[in-house]
Amino acid sequence: MTGMEHFEGRREVASPEDMERLGRELGGVLRAGDLLVLTGPLGAGKTTLTRGIGAGLGVRGPVQSPTFVIARTHPSEVGGPALVHVDAYRLGSPAELDDLGLDPDRSVTIVEWGRGMVDGLVDTWWELEIERGWSGTGIDNACGTTGPYAAELEDAAPRIVTVTRRP
């Protein structure tokens, strides 16, 4: 066990700084062989959380979204495991993820948009679902109906992070 059990359940994360802090705490307990699947809408904080995990692991950065390259490897600067950061958004099937040639036994692997994609890659993994709040404005601004300040308001909204061991 890696210590991830301590993080199981739901918690509110009030700000991007708190999301990154949570990531650093997670990075402090993760070990080679751990795989995390991050699920949540655009802008929920998946990459911010991963940036914190990278800091907690002591890997070379910057940790940024791998959307266009699909996967980035961040080697450790402190003798620990590398961080492999995957964005599965544009992948069509688990076979495409498998084709990347990942070695989840020797690294900490994070797969954004990975729900339903990692079955068979490892026996067990951790799913972190991030729910994004609606800023308390009373307006459904998911469609951009609040004008030019919608993104700022969305970023201020708290997130709910649920950590679950799978399967």
Side-chain angles (χ1 to χ4, degrees), residues 71 86 125:
V86 179
W125 63 92

Side-chain angles (χ1 to χ4, degrees), residues 47 64-72 85-87 90 110 112:
T47 300
Q64 54 194 7
S65 177
T67 299
F68 298 105
V69 296
I70 309 296
R72 290 188 202 290
H85 185 195
V86 179
D87 186 326
R90 295 186 301 136
I110 296 177
E112 293 188 27

Side-chain angles (χ1 to χ4, degrees), residues 70-115:
I70 309 296
R72 290 188 202 290
T73 299
H74 299 275
S76 176
E77 295 186 321
V78 296
L83 170 64
V84 177
H85 185 195
V86 179
D87 186 326
Y89 185 78
R90 295 186 301 136
L91 300 180
S93 70
E96 288 183 51
L97 181 64
D98 190 48
D99 286 346
L100 295 176
L102 303 175
D103 187 0
D105 293 332
R106 294 213 252 169
S107 61
V108 171
T109 305
I110 296 177
V111 183
E112 293 188 27
W113 304 99
R115 182 178 277 163

